[in-house]
Amino acid sequence: MTVSFCGLELAHPVINASGTFDAIAAERVFGNQLHEGFPFAAFVTKTVTLAPRQGNPPPRLWELPAGMINSIGLPNKGIDRFVADDLPRLSYLPVPLVVNVMGFSRDEVAELVARLDPHDGVRAIELNVSCPNVKTGLVMGADPRELTALLARVRPLTAKPLIVKLTPNVADVATVARSAEAAGASAVSLINTLRGMALDPDTGEPWLGGVTGGVSGPAVRAVALAQVHAVARAVDLPIVGMGGVECGRDALDLLRAGATLVAVGTASFRDPAAASSVASELEQLLAQSLL
Ligand code: RRO
């Protein structure tokens, strides 16, 4: 199941979706066991911003019949402490490391990329232009011209692969993907969460502290499949497909739709080893399809 992605040789095509698996916390709980059976072929960090952030007020989660809504709002320690505290630990993971970043302006993204570029442990950078939970989060990923300008600014700053994480909250994701490709993206990943909301059954007021949030899990799987399919027909870039993947069959569908890699996200909250089962089921399905 080895796969080549942006020059990285991966043991299999299953990675994690940003923000859905805390490898440092998992290491504290599982110790060496985590490294022996590491569930992902590459590890993607939670989004890092330039300045530290508290995130959105609680409540931050709402469970759905087929997934959940999150309104986390990018809590993180900021790039300085990420580089000082987390990067050395994450660099010891047994798989290539992808750092996901988000800035509130082109200059901020440029600074984040420039700060990560010197670190050999960072094998690729994912640009999150699609967070639904902060006011300006969607601007860059929803506007092809803005995305082009962003990539023109940051592409010259690093030779590392730049993966652009696309939002599903646009009319035509293929157009956005095309502009990412034309402006020098190395790959695209999709989908981020779909904007949704829930009401408190007692008060009728929005449940989430951030009012709206991002829907993920099996509820969005068919949307992810359609968008990966559309983007695969629009660009020649490698695609990381994600959205509600829970079993080998879901992963196979995304690969058949044109993805090179598949990411597991929400399923890891229920079972931190979910991606391992997805990868072994996928291996069986691929072996069968070769017979
Ligand atoms: O932190 C979040 O609220 C968040 C982010 Br950065 C994102 O990209 N997608 C999402 O559903 N939540």
Side-chain angles (χ1 to χ4, degrees):
M1 286 226 290
T2 54
V3 54
S4 178
F5 174 79
C6 294
L8 304 175
E9 297 306 317
L10 305 184
H12 58 79
V14 182
I15 68 170
N16 67 302
S18 170
T20 60
F21 191 97
D22 183 339
I24 292 174
E27 207 163 32
R28 272 199 297 273
V29 176
F30 298 109
N32 274 350
Q33 252 183 306
L34 177 72
H35 284 227
E36 282 155 23
F38 199 71
F40 312 110
F43 181 72
V44 185
T45 68
K46 165 103 185 118
T47 303
V48 184
T49 54
L50 211 47
R53 285 176 57 88
Q54 293 287 333
N56 286 346
R60 290 174 166 181
L61 290 179
W62 175 266
E63 213 171 319
L64 293 170
M68 65 181 193
I69 315 178
N70 85 81
S71 180
I72 310 294
L74 284 155
N76 77 103
K77 51 178 75 170
I79 191 72
D80 287 342
R81 283 190 48 216
F82 173 81
V83 167
D85 303 344
D86 293 358
L87 195 49
R89 294 191 207 177
L90 295 170
S91 301
Y92 280 106
L93 291 176
V95 296
L97 178 67
V98 180
V99 179
N100 179 304
V101 296
M102 177 178 151
F104 294 90
S105 65
R106 277 175 228 154
D107 284 347
E108 276 199 21
V109 182
E111 171 136 18
L112 286 159
V113 169
R115 292 290 305 280
L116 292 171
D117 180 61
H119 296 278
D120 292 339
V122 179
R123 304 293 299 282
I125 299 171
E126 185 171 55
L127 304 176
N128 186 358
V129 293
S130 50
C131 175
N133 296 334
V134 286
K135 256 192 220 144
T136 56
L138 276 180
V139 174
M140 295 184 200
D143 178 352
R145 277 168 308 181
E146 185 54 43
L147 190 55
T148 302
L150 174 71
L151 282 162
R153 176 88 169 80
V154 302
R155 182 64 282 182
L157 302 177
T158 185
K160 295 185 197 295
L162 289 176
I163 307 163
V164 176
K165 177 103 176 237
L166 300 174
T167 175
N169 301 309
V170 288
D172 181 12
V173 70
T175 302
V176 184
R178 259 189 233 107
S179 35
E181 179 175 46
S186 318
V188 288
S189 52
L190 67 152
I191 58 174
N192 205 322
T193 51
L194 272 166
R195 195 181 301 105
M197 81 183 292
L199 299 184
D200 183 328
D202 294 328
T203 64
E205 296 298 317
W207 170 265
L208 295 164
V211 182
T212 59
V215 180
S216 64
V220 308
R221 194 186 295 137
V223 176
L225 195 59
Q227 296 210 359
V228 166
H229 186 265
V231 168
R233 270 138 198 85
V235 300
D236 286 326
L237 296 175
I239 296 171
V240 186
M242 70 196 88
V245 172
E246 291 202 318
C247 65
R249 180 59 204 234
D250 303 334
L252 182 62
D253 281 353
L254 284 168
L255 296 180
R256 284 176 165 167
T260 301
L261 301 182
V262 170
V264 173
T266 305
S268 300
F269 287 104
R270 194 177 302 137
D271 173 9
S276 299
S277 322
V278 170
S280 50
E281 288 169 21
L282 177 63
E283 187 168 18
Q284 281 179 6
L285 288 169
L286 288 172
Q288 281 164 17
S289 67
L290 291 176
L291 291 178

